[in-house]
Amino acid sequence: MTANTAASTLSTSGLKAGALLPSMMSVLFGLFIVGFVGFSQLDVVHNAAHDARHANAFPCH
């Protein structure tokens, strides 16, 4: 496989090479936030997440 074929295959797959790192960082950041809120012992963090879920009409009970 030549470099031109590999480059055209990557660009036609829908995901640009430069978008992979920001995408993965966003996923990891989201998992960190969900994990932090989910396992946090701070009532302020829990209440803020709880209120945000209700404000977005997302059921949590």
Side-chain angles (χ1 to χ4, degrees):
M1 182 180 281
T2 65
N4 289 339
T5 305
S8 65
T9 303
L10 183 60
S11 66
T12 58
S13 69
L15 182 62
K16 304 269 189 253
L20 185 60
L21 181 62
S23 299
M24 292 305 295
M25 292 302 291
S26 297
V27 168
L28 291 174
F29 182 65
L31 289 173
F32 173 75
I33 294 296
V34 168
F36 176 71
V37 171
F39 294 107
S40 178
Q41 297 296 317
L42 301 173
D43 286 336
V44 173
V45 174
H46 173 79
N47 290 338
H50 188 258
D51 293 343
R53 284 192 297 260
H54 281 291
N56 290 309
F58 187 78
C60 60
H61 297 273

